[in-house]
Amino acid sequence: MPNATTLFLAAEPVAGAHAVERPEVMALTWLPAVTALVVFVLAFGFLYVMVWPKIIKGLDDRDQKIRREIANAEQAREQANAALAKYEQELASAREEASRLIAQARADAKAVAVEFRDRNEAELAEMKQRAIRDLETARRAAITELHAETATLAVSIAGRILKREISVADQQRLVEESLGELAGVRKR
Amino acid sequence: MFLLAGDVQIDPTEHVRDVVLLKIGEVPIVTMHMVTLIAVTVVFLLVMMKAAKAIATGPESEGNDRYMTRGRLGQIIETMVVYLRDEMLAPVLGARDTKRYLPYLMTLFFFVLFQNLFGMIPLADILHLFGVHQTPIGGTATANIMVTGALAVLSFFMIELHGFREQGLKGWLLHNCGGLVPGPVYLLPIALLVFVVELAGHLIKPTALAIRLFANMFAGHTLMAVLLSFGLVAHHGGMGLLGIGTISVISGAAAVMVMFLELFVAFLQAFIFMFLTAVFLSLMSHHEQEHEHTPPEPALEPASA
């Protein structure tokens, strides 16, 4: 192939290339070095005074702000945790107290019920005893009265006997009257 | 190094090398990289001022909003600063030195980053399409070994000043003897050797910084130029339209991919330059020897109000 493209090292450029002077790659041209030194030192001085303090202060301010906010948040969290723990403790105490009160109330109610029952039973027993005593008293009184009435009748009967002769019919009538009175006494 | 296409030579480094803009006699006075350095630095300062305004704490009347960073530019700068400060510098330098060197290291990072990123804009090539064949501004200043060397020299002085400040002259000398002095007399020659090696290391470290940044930026842009010039080479080589088109499409796609890689490299190299400076600073701290046996310093706390 004619005019084949080849790539190799050549010593010099051809004439007629761009007519500009280009120093060699490793040429010790001091002007760029001095320029770089001066430009960098001036730039550094300017930035050191005008720029970096603002940037560093801005970053530090924000760091401090974030640290402050985090510290505040931590403190708030700790306070919230403490309040929650206290609340839970109080809630547990209240529950315990309520349970205790309920148990106490149950025990009291039970005691009162037992007391009422005992008292009622005692009162009933007393009322029964009293009734029995009353009945006994009444019975004794009745018997005493009966005896007294019987004695009175006997005396009366004896007096009537002593005053007149008692026929069979009288005798019969007296007995019946006595029995009738006795029955009346019993009914009373 | 040139691409030779038929009888035409194409220099892929043409777009990377500096251009002399003004000469007095045979002495160059103004070059394109000088102008680029200044112009990009002005843009850099304007951007940083805008970012500082966005990040700075606002007036109290704004309430909690005064702590908010306003605008995406400020948020991007802030994100980078906070990440580099808290995740990269503080673990290496400790809280005190991070605070002390943050302005320098951040300036270094953003300065290099802006120069790197500006170098990715094919300004000269765009203007070339419009018939402007020589522009005073363009190229990548950090692809110039003298520029990266100057930045490395600054870092060198910063590192050594930090070393003297932290350790004093005697401590600095002892530090460079590798812990062999004071020690047995028979170790003195070895201590001397270590001292010479350490001294060389003081120079090698910034030199490596300069060469690393320069080489990465120069090589990346040269690779891109080589890829993009394949079509031209094919054209001058006498290939047909189909061949030129095919080569151009393939090499163009490859150049786009390399462009993304270069974008990453622009950030990476700015970070490496800044971070290695921080590492070298920390190595010169007087508590260097204790680092292996002590827990890391606490995370960076904000300055007290």
Side-chain angles (χ1 to χ4, degrees):
Chain A
M1 189 169 121
N3 294 325
T5 302
T6 50
L7 173 65
F8 62 90
L9 290 175
E12 292 293 335
V14 291
H18 293 305
V20 292
E21 185 180 339
R22 295 179 186 275
E24 288 301 313
V25 174
M26 296 301 284
L28 298 179
T29 49
W30 296 105
L31 274 172
V34 173
T35 309
L37 269 176
V38 171
V39 165
F40 182 84
V41 168
L42 287 177
F44 174 60
F46 178 81
L47 293 176
Y48 190 80
V49 174
M50 300 293 291
V51 169
W52 292 119
K54 282 184 189 172
I55 291 179
I56 291 169
K57 185 177 181 304
L59 296 177
D60 286 349
D61 283 351
R62 191 179 320 155
D63 276 356
Q64 283 179 341
K65 169 77 174 165
I66 291 169
R67 283 172 200 275
R68 252 195 330 267
E69 293 297 325
I70 290 173
N72 289 343
E74 280 288 324
Q75 197 179 354
R77 195 171 64 89
E78 283 173 11
Q79 285 175 349
N81 281 342
L84 182 64
K86 191 181 173 190
Y87 163 76
E88 283 176 348
Q89 193 180 356
E90 285 176 356
L91 191 63
S93 300
R95 279 186 182 144
E96 195 179 335
E97 180 69 13
S99 299
R100 196 182 62 74
L101 287 174
I102 289 169
Q104 178 76 39
R106 278 183 183 152
D108 287 351
K110 196 173 177 182
V112 168
V114 169
E115 186 184 342
F116 275 137
R117 193 189 64 196
D118 291 350
R119 196 188 300 166
N120 287 341
E121 283 179 352
E123 283 179 358
L124 281 172
E126 191 183 347
M127 284 170 68
K128 188 180 173 185
Q129 291 298 324
R130 197 184 306 141
I132 291 170
R133 277 199 307 273
D134 288 350
L135 283 173
E136 184 64 22
T137 307
R139 192 179 65 83
R140 286 176 190 265
I143 289 172
T144 307
E145 194 179 349
L146 182 63
H147 286 169
E149 286 291 329
T150 305
T152 306
L153 274 177
V155 170
S156 174
I157 291 166
R160 285 177 189 171
I161 291 170
L162 291 173
K163 281 178 184 173
R164 67 182 183 104
E165 195 178 16
I166 299 171
S167 65
V168 174
D170 289 338
Q171 193 176 359
Q172 184 63 37
R173 188 176 46 82
L174 283 171
V175 170
E176 285 177 358
E177 282 178 5
S178 297
L179 287 172
E181 286 177 0
L182 188 61
V185 167
R186 276 191 180 167
K187 280 179 185 170
R188 282 198 306 266
Chain B
M1 187 172 99
F2 300 95
L3 296 177
L4 189 60
D7 55 351
V8 177
Q9 291 175 340
I10 298 165
D11 182 2
T13 67
E14 189 179 294
H15 295 269
V16 191
R17 281 154 60 193
D18 201 359
V19 176
V20 177
L21 297 176
L22 184 64
K23 283 169 73 171
I24 295 180
E26 285 302 308
V27 182
I29 301 299
V30 180
T31 70
M32 188 172 69
H33 283 170
M34 290 165 64
V35 178
T36 304
L37 265 172
I38 295 167
V40 174
T41 303
V42 169
V43 174
F44 163 54
L45 292 179
L46 291 174
V47 168
M48 293 309 288
M49 282 170 68
K50 188 171 166 54
K53 195 178 172 189
I55 297 169
T57 309
E60 284 190 19
S61 58
E62 290 181 4
N64 281 337
D65 284 347
R66 70 195 176 117
Y67 296 106
M68 304 289 285
T69 299
R70 296 157 288 273
R72 288 186 182 165
L73 177 71
Q75 288 166 350
I76 290 169
I77 299 288
E78 177 197 318
T79 304
M80 288 196 276
V81 170
V82 170
Y83 176 76
L84 292 174
R85 182 190 68 173
D86 295 348
E87 304 296 330
M88 294 292 145
L89 298 178
V92 172
L93 288 172
R96 187 200 62 173
D97 285 346
T98 300
K99 244 176 223 171
R100 182 182 287 168
Y101 292 109
L102 190 69
Y104 172 72
L105 293 170
M106 286 296 103
T107 304
L108 191 61
F109 171 75
F110 284 110
F111 185 86
V112 173
L113 180 64
F114 270 76
Q115 300 293 344
N116 289 352
L117 289 177
F118 180 80
M120 297 192 65
I121 303 170
L123 192 64
D125 302 284
I126 292 169
L127 290 174
H128 188 76
L129 291 174
F130 294 98
V132 181
H133 299 298
Q134 187 168 344
T135 57
I137 184 169
T140 312
T142 43
N144 187 324
I145 185 68
M146 298 307 287
V147 172
T148 58
L151 296 175
V153 165
L154 275 175
S155 283
F156 168 78
F157 280 113
M158 193 63 87
I159 292 162
E160 296 309 319
L161 282 174
H162 175 68
F164 283 118
R165 185 170 163 179
E166 285 288 304
Q167 306 173 94
L169 181 60
K170 188 183 170 188
W172 186 85
L173 289 170
L174 292 177
H175 173 87
N176 285 306
C177 290
L180 298 173
V181 177
V185 181
Y186 58 86
L187 284 179
L188 213 55
I190 297 173
L192 197 63
L193 189 65
V194 169
F195 185 75
V196 172
V197 171
E198 283 283 344
L199 275 188
H202 284 273
L203 297 173
I204 290 168
K205 284 170 188 169
T207 306
L209 279 181
I211 292 175
R212 185 185 294 107
L213 178 58
F214 153 73
N216 272 281
M217 301 318 295
F218 187 85
H221 287 73
T222 305
L223 174 62
M224 207 123 62
V226 167
L227 286 170
L228 288 171
S229 62
F230 278 158
L232 193 61
V233 170
H235 169 68
H236 288 299
M239 289 186 79
L241 203 60
L242 183 65
I244 295 170
T246 306
I247 288 174
S248 297
V249 168
I250 293 171
S251 61
V256 169
M257 286 188 277
V258 171
M259 188 84 167
F260 282 114
L261 179 68
E262 278 298 292
L263 189 63
F264 170 68
V265 169
F267 279 89
L268 181 69
Q269 290 305 319
F271 166 73
I272 287 176
F273 200 101
M274 179 277 296
F275 185 68
L276 286 182
T277 302
V279 170
F280 298 150
L281 279 168
S282 77
L283 289 176
M284 296 305 288
S285 293
H286 69 275
H287 49 79
E288 178 203 350
Q289 302 298 327
E290 289 83 43
H291 272 173
E292 293 172 9
H293 309 292
T294 52
E297 289 189 48
L300 196 64
E301 295 290 334
S304 56

